[in-house]
């Protein structure tokens, strides 16, 4: 391997910038011995390389350098898995971007039955920053619940509640959720709530309501940091430069505590009242070049 020079950067960053996987996943690839630099297997996370001089391979495939970054908003319909592939053969969200001529991957997750705003990008640095727990990027959801939760039950959710850590049956223990913001959006026998979280635990919203005795019927994510959902189900658009910069700003260290910024209630109400549309297979998305 070549000696580190002025242009050397950490391997996980190089891999993420090449659009292969997120930086967190790149770290796993390195630890698993699936990355080579100049013919030598590298397993140390602190290893640096020069992307202009060194030959870097992931699973034997030579990296071709950094890709042009793309940032897409998808309105994920329910019935799709938020992964690049699924061992059970279920359809994945990649269906909606596979004709776009660009390789991107989902940021965070929406479970199989949930729908709404899903950010997809090949910018591994930004993806990693957005999904770090310390960043506390707010996600806003519309949630339909079976039956009316009590005021005391909702207060439990607002304060934080103990839920199962992993998937059901894994016995990974229990964990306390972060405080949540909950607003009643539609009062009915099965009411709708606007719910704001700063975490992204496995099936977190469903588990939270189950702890107070209520089943969640529908979940629709309508906000992610500064983004507000504005495309129909099954459709995708590219983010503007201003939106990308707002996402970067959302993960920068805050100098002082400030008030929460969530998707405004009028926007949530508009999305709640919008007539549902049947998802359709997309034509090739029109992608504008991002500088």
């Amino acid at each position: 391997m070549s000696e580190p020079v002025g242009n050397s950067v950490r391997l996980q960053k190089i891999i993420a910038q090449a659009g292969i996987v997120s930086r967190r996943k790149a770290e796993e690839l390195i630890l698993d011995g699936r990355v080579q630099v100049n013919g030598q297997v590298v397993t140390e996370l602190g290893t640096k390389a020069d992307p202009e001089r060194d030959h870097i391979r992931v699973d034997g495939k030579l990296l071709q350098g950094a890709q042009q970054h793309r940032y897409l908003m998808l309105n994920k319909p329910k019935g799709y898995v938020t992964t690049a592939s699924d061992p059970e053969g279920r359809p994945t969200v990649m269906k909606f971007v596979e004709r776009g001529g660009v390789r991107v991957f989902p940021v965070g997750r929406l479970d199989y039955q949930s729908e709404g705003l899903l950010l997809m990008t090949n910018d591994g640095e930004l993806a990693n920053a957005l999904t770090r727990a310390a960043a506390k990027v707010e996600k806003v959801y519309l949630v339909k619940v079976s039956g009316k939760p009590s005021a005391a039950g909702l207060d439990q959710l607002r304060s934080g509640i103990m839920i199962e850590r992993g998937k059901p049956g894994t016995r990974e223990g229990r964990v306390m959720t972060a405080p949540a913001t909950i607003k009643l959006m539609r009062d009915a026998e099965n009411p709708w709530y606007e719910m704001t979280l700063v975490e992204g635990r496995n099936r977190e919203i469903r588990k939270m309501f189950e702890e107070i005795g209520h089943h969640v019927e529908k979940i629709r994510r309508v906000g992610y940091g500064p983004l507000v959902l504005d495309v129909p189900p099954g459709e995708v658009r590219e983010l503007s430069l201003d939106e990308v910069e707002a996402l970067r700003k959302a993960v920068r260290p805050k100098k002082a505590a400030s008030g929460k910024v969530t998707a405004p209630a009028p926007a949530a109400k508009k999305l709640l009242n919008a007539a549902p549309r049947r998802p359709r297979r997309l034509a090739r998305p029109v992608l504008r070049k991002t500088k």
Side-chain angles (χ1 to χ4, degrees), residues 213-226:
H214 291 270
H215 172 71
V216 170
E217 295 185 356
K218 294 182 181 180
I219 297 177
R220 184 186 308 156
R221 183 155 67 192
V222 298
Y224 192 112

Side-chain angles (χ1 to χ4, degrees), residues 28-88:
E28 296 178 9
L29 295 177
I30 294 170
L31 292 173
D32 290 342
R34 296 166 61 182
V35 178
Q36 293 179 323
V37 178
N38 299 329
Q40 298 181 21
V41 175
V42 175
T43 57
E44 296 182 6
L45 294 182
T47 302
K48 293 184 178 182
D50 184 345
E52 300 296 328
R53 298 172 65 246
D54 294 319
H55 292 272
I56 303 168
R57 294 180 181 271
V58 177
D59 289 334
K61 185 176 181 179
L62 183 67
L63 296 192
Q64 299 300 320
Q67 290 186 8
Q68 187 176 34
H69 287 157
R70 299 293 191 187
Y71 309 88
L72 307 178
M73 177 193 295
L74 166 68
N75 187 343
K76 172 194 171 301
K78 68 178 181 179
Y80 289 84
V81 182
T82 311
T83 56
S85 61
D86 181 59
E88 299 179 27

